[in-house]
Amino acid sequence: MNGQNKHSVKRSSSSYLTATHRSLVSPTYPSYLRQTLYENLALTQYNLHLHKQHLKPIPITLQPLSDTSNLEEEQLIELDLRLPTAWNPKDKSSNIEVGSNGLDLSYTGPGLEEADAALVRSNFPMRSQTGIFYFEMKVISKGAHGFIGIGFCYGENNLERLPGWNTNSWGYHGDDGHSFAGSGTGKDYGPRFTTGDTIGCGVNFSDRSAFYTKNGWHLGTAFKDLIFKKPIYPAIGLRTQREKVTTNFGNEPFVFDIEKYVRKQRLHLIEDIVHNPNNKLTIVPTSQDEDTYSKEVTNNLILSYLIHHGYTGTAKAVVQNAGYDSTQDFFLFNNNDISKISEKDMEERQLIRSSILKGKIEDAIKLIDKYFPGVLQEEGRGQDLHLWLKCTKFIEMIREYCEYMNSKKAKPKTENGNHTRTNGETKSSVPETCCTNTSNRKIAPIRRRRSSYSTIAVSLPTTNGIELRKTNDNSEMMDIDSAPTNSLCGNVWERRPSISNPANRLQSNDNGRTSNGDSRDIHNESTEFLKRIMLYGQKLKEEYRDDIQEKTRSSITEISSLLAYQDPDHSPVAYLMDISRRDALATEVNATILAFLNRPEMPAMERVYRQVMLCNKELACEGDSKAALINVEGYYSNKMSL
């Protein structure tokens, strides 16, 4: 027994100390934990491990998107969030055989007396950061007598006892339907179970209880007021010959609707927070009643947020609406504050935000230089923001190209396969964007591939005496073979196909006839489009060629990789094309401008929200299962429902 205890402790410590060696393993978890705080923590930890192990700096284009504090990073790096996925062949009785899949269990002992009982534990313990952990067992054969138990226990518990028979062990047994909690004497709990039945076991860390299910039906609470001083492991016990079970840790759908159960528990927690008078933390001045004070605080938070982001019209409306309430007097702002903050300043910042949200990055840069000169030239944050803006301009050019090619693919055609005409001229839909500034051209359906980068690059003119250079490894900056003109679509992560095959140069139109002229037109159109993108990319690289900062090089390399895939929206760098990144950039631009003007970078409402999110995550990291179950950030981003 003592030797076994030492072995279990050693095993647990070993798994903890190998945290740094887990970074390349993508986290796995049951489907009911998707879009939860646990998933958020697990994926954030995974990304932090990748960056630390690869010594890869986070590119400038990614840095402002993370709300992770340094303290939270340290906590996450040390935290072991791995969940049970199989039975541990090194942590079992010799009377149990674990199948090759790690999920099947068979009894191999004599099965004659109580001492022949056998138990097995999972490879990892349950984590309180899940809020609720659940797994299921299906009885393949009840064997001779069906002395089968399912439950959980500490890592050092005896392996020759069924779940629940020893201290710090809990179980539900099929032969009598009794529940056992640290004693060989059970209590009436549920029905017996036998061959063909599926039994589920769930631990609700948020209310310190455990429950079981049978064939999808909830059997009620089995154990209450659970206090775990050590990690607990899922456990199954067998005792008589021919007993055989298989297990589901979430690798396939559960019989019981665990997602509905989790939603119900989450709703109970939120209702308790909202309606429990002991949870109110607001300190109300003695001269005011609670409702009036709360209204004033709310109005001032909203007003400060609107002014911060430059929403002039809405801020005026809030002030005007609040002015009708004779009992209210703003203590952070008053009715004249709009003029004090300066409507002109707000409108200028809103123009910049609007340009960024529309993808007009060049316009945004010009407006910043016009209204707030010196912001983008300021050493450090300003210059980093300038690079982020330029990188985003490149991304927007890629986006415009993809949209243009998609529009050509879906262009309606007349009977002869040509595009519709107006006044005898072919209409072109080339967007007037940062990529194009040309008159309308004849556009034909997309029927062939693009030229390779090398073919396009040789035709690019030099700019301001700058020639297109090769990198130190004698390869061009955006070295790709070629890319198809069929709207960069194809939901695969693959490089662009080669154009060396002559058969690719002719394609058939809808009537089965080759369309050399149409292909040539669309080929020339796409080539011109790409020339502008690549020329801008080369100029960007040339501009920062003397910048030795790794984050600068990483940012430019990162955006350049967009050209290497047929469909950037379904590639490993698809996150760069996420339209929500515009809003993140606009927010960072606004904050940088305000910091440059020695004004608060963040409105009070956002500070409150971020503080709540940070507390929520840190409490979860510390093992607070209620915080893990609520997930404030999930509600804010509309990823979760009650």
Side-chain angles (χ1 to χ4, degrees):
M1 181 69 176
N2 293 334
Q4 178 189 319
N5 290 348
K6 292 180 180 179
H7 172 73
S8 299
V9 172
K10 182 178 180 180
R11 177 178 57 84
S12 301
S13 301
S14 171
S15 63
Y16 178 81
L17 293 174
T18 57
T20 56
H21 301 290
R22 303 193 308 267
S23 57
L24 294 180
V25 180
S26 180
T28 57
Y29 36 83
S31 60
Y32 73 89
L33 291 176
R34 291 173 185 167
Q35 299 181 349
T36 64
L37 185 54
Y38 172 84
E39 180 186 54
N40 182 300
L41 294 174
L43 293 178
T44 301
Q45 182 191 65
Y46 175 63
N47 289 326
L48 288 172
H49 274 305
L50 285 180
H51 283 294
K52 285 184 176 294
Q53 192 171 83
H54 292 169
L55 300 178
K56 179 181 178 182
I58 301 177
I60 293 173
T61 52
L62 281 177
Q63 287 175 345
L65 296 180
S66 175
D67 292 327
T68 306
S69 66
N70 290 334
L71 175 60
E72 185 184 346
E73 286 187 11
E74 293 177 4
Q75 288 177 307
L76 281 175
I77 287 295
E78 297 298 327
L79 195 60
D80 192 345
L81 293 173
R82 292 174 295 179
L83 297 178
T85 56
W87 299 111
N88 189 345
K90 297 182 179 180
D91 193 16
K92 70 177 185 66
S93 165
S94 59
N95 289 334
I96 280 186
E97 178 181 334
V98 178
S100 59
N101 60 2
L103 302 173
D104 297 338
L105 300 175
S106 301
Y107 183 76
T108 59
L112 300 177
E113 53 188 28
E114 187 176 296
D116 296 328
L119 181 140
V120 60
R121 279 186 285 264
S122 59
N123 52 356
F124 298 109
M126 307 178 189
R127 308 291 181 183
S128 59
Q129 287 80 11
T130 62
I132 295 170
F133 186 83
Y134 180 80
F135 70 102
E136 288 182 345
M137 167 195 76
K138 182 174 182 179
V139 181
I140 304 301
S141 173
K142 75 179 187 69
H145 301 292
F147 292 166
I148 301 172
I150 176 174
F152 46 94
C153 64
Y154 282 6
E156 61 266 25
N157 273 67
N158 195 329
L159 294 172
E160 280 68 44
R161 302 282 286 172
L162 292 185
W165 281 358
N166 282 4
T167 303
N168 300 323
S169 179
W170 298 262
Y172 167 41
H173 295 187
D175 60 304
D176 54 16
H178 289 176
S179 63
F180 294 79
S183 170
T185 303
K187 296 181 180 180
D188 289 338
Y189 169 65
R192 300 178 182 183
F193 55 85
T194 185
T195 302
D197 287 331
T198 297
I199 306 301
C201 175
V203 175
N204 188 334
F205 290 95
S206 65
D207 65 4
R208 297 186 295 132
S209 69
F211 64 92
Y212 290 93
T213 67
K214 179 181 178 182
N215 299 328
W217 292 94
H218 193 283
L219 299 180
T221 301
F223 310 110
K224 297 180 179 179
D225 302 321
L226 296 172
I227 298 177
F228 303 125
K229 297 181 179 180
K230 296 181 181 181
I232 57 170
Y233 293 77
I236 283 180
L238 307 176
R239 218 208 80 176
T240 60
Q241 293 181 348
R242 300 187 306 281
E243 290 175 348
K244 184 175 182 180
V245 301
T246 189
T247 325
N248 179 13
F249 285 111
N251 50 299
E252 59 184 43
F254 291 115
V255 175
F256 175 66
D257 191 349
I258 184 62
E259 294 184 17
K260 181 179 179 180
Y261 176 84
V262 170
R263 286 196 300 270
K264 184 178 180 181
Q265 297 303 308
R266 185 182 297 127
L267 183 58
H268 286 165
L269 281 176
I270 293 174
E271 288 177 343
D272 180 62
I273 293 173
V274 173
H275 300 298
N276 190 337
N278 296 326
N279 292 329
K280 294 186 178 181
L281 302 177
T282 306
I283 301 176
V284 183
T286 54
S287 60
Q288 293 178 285
D289 63 79
E290 184 176 334
D291 290 340
T292 301
Y293 183 79
S294 297
K295 186 175 181 180
E296 290 183 4
V297 171
T298 301
N299 281 333
N300 278 279
L301 285 173
I302 294 172
L303 184 60
S304 66
Y305 179 86
L306 295 172
I307 292 175
H308 176 91
H309 288 292
Y311 298 120
T312 313
T314 309
K316 284 182 177 180
V318 170
V319 171
Q320 185 179 15
N321 181 67
Y324 292 126
D325 188 347
S326 59
T327 65
Q328 181 168 347
D329 182 25
F330 287 138
F331 57 86
L332 293 179
F333 299 93
N334 56 48
N335 293 357
N336 297 320
D337 254 358
I338 298 297
S339 59
K340 290 179 181 179
I341 296 296
S342 171
E343 289 184 38
K344 180 175 179 294
D345 168 86
M346 295 171 64
E347 290 170 354
E348 290 169 349
R349 288 187 288 114
Q350 184 57 28
L351 282 174
I352 295 171
R353 170 178 283 274
S354 179
S355 295
I356 295 174
L357 295 180
K358 292 177 181 177
K360 298 180 179 179
I361 308 302
E362 188 62 35
D363 289 350
I365 293 175
K366 291 178 180 179
L367 289 173
I368 295 171
D369 287 336
K370 177 181 178 181
Y371 296 135
F372 306 99
V375 170
L376 299 180
Q377 291 71 40
E378 185 179 31
E379 185 176 355
R381 183 175 184 178
Q383 293 177 351
D384 287 348
L385 178 62
H386 203 181
L387 172 60
W388 189 10
L389 284 163
K390 291 177 179 179
C391 288
T392 302
K393 177 182 175 181
F394 182 89
I395 294 171
E396 293 299 334
M397 294 172 77
I398 294 289
R399 189 195 313 280
E400 290 161 7
Y401 174 81
C402 293
E403 292 173 353
Y404 161 66
M405 297 304 291
N406 276 325
S407 70
K408 294 294 97 184
K409 184 178 182 180
K411 187 73 175 179
K413 296 187 282 289
T414 60
E415 291 183 359
N416 62 1
N418 295 325
H419 294 287
T420 55
R421 297 173 180 270
T422 303
N423 297 329
E425 296 296 330
T426 301
K427 294 176 67 176
S428 171
S429 59
V430 180
E432 290 295 332
T433 64
C434 61
C435 292
T436 60
N437 188 23
T438 60
S439 60
N440 291 341
R441 303 181 179 89
K442 291 184 178 181
I443 305 299
I446 300 168
R447 289 297 181 190
R448 59 170 294 165
R449 79 288 170 280
R450 290 204 306 249
S451 295
S452 66
Y453 171 71
S454 57
T455 303
I456 297 174
V458 294
S459 64
L460 295 179
T462 57
T463 305
N464 297 330
I466 300 175
E467 297 182 357
L468 300 182
R469 303 180 302 106
K470 293 182 178 291
T471 58
N472 293 334
D473 60 356
N474 203 33
S475 61
E476 289 155 318
M477 168 193 162
M478 301 171 195
D479 190 18
I480 56 176
D481 289 334
S482 63
T485 56
N486 55 348
S487 72
L488 290 175
C489 287
N491 298 334
V492 290
W493 296 351
E494 57 180 311
R495 299 286 176 172
R496 309 187 193 283
S498 171
I499 65 171
S500 58
N501 186 356
N504 290 334
R505 297 175 184 174
L506 295 179
Q507 301 288 341
S508 297
N509 60 22
D510 293 344
N511 297 322
R513 299 187 300 270
T514 58
S515 49
N516 298 33
D518 288 347
S519 297
R520 189 177 301 109
D521 286 343
I522 193 62
H523 171 67
N524 292 339
E525 195 72 52
S526 64
T527 298
E528 288 299 318
F529 219 127
L530 280 174
K531 279 184 179 180
R532 298 183 186 96
I533 296 175
M534 293 179 178
L535 181 59
Y536 177 75
Q538 282 294 137
K539 290 170 62 178
L540 185 62
K541 183 183 179 185
E542 184 66 29
E543 180 179 354
Y544 288 92
R545 66 172 179 170
D546 296 327
D547 192 327
I548 60 174
Q549 296 183 84
E550 185 60 31
K551 62 182 179 180
T552 302
R553 296 177 180 272
S554 178
S555 296
I556 295 177
T557 300
E558 186 180 41
I559 62 170
S560 302
S561 63
L562 285 168
L563 284 170
Y565 299 95
Q566 287 188 337
D567 186 358
D569 286 317
H570 297 86
S571 70
V573 287
Y575 57 87
L576 293 174
M577 302 290 288
D578 190 341
I579 204 74
S580 65
R581 295 182 64 79
R582 289 179 179 176
D583 185 71
L585 175 58
T587 300
E588 176 64 15
V589 167
N590 188 63
T592 303
I593 291 173
L594 292 173
F596 184 78
L597 299 175
N598 294 318
R599 284 157 55 182
E601 299 179 31
M602 188 183 300
M605 181 184 290
E606 189 171 348
R607 288 199 300 271
V608 170
Y609 167 70
R610 291 197 178 201
Q611 183 64 27
V612 171
M613 277 205 308
L614 183 60
C615 289
N616 186 211
K617 288 185 176 181
E618 290 194 353
L619 283 171
C621 286
E622 292 293 332
D624 189 305
S625 50
K626 290 184 178 180
L629 203 56
I630 291 176
N631 190 14
V632 174
E633 188 173 7
Y635 300 130
Y636 175 78
S637 60
N638 294 321
K639 292 180 179 179
M640 298 180 63
S641 61
L642 300 181

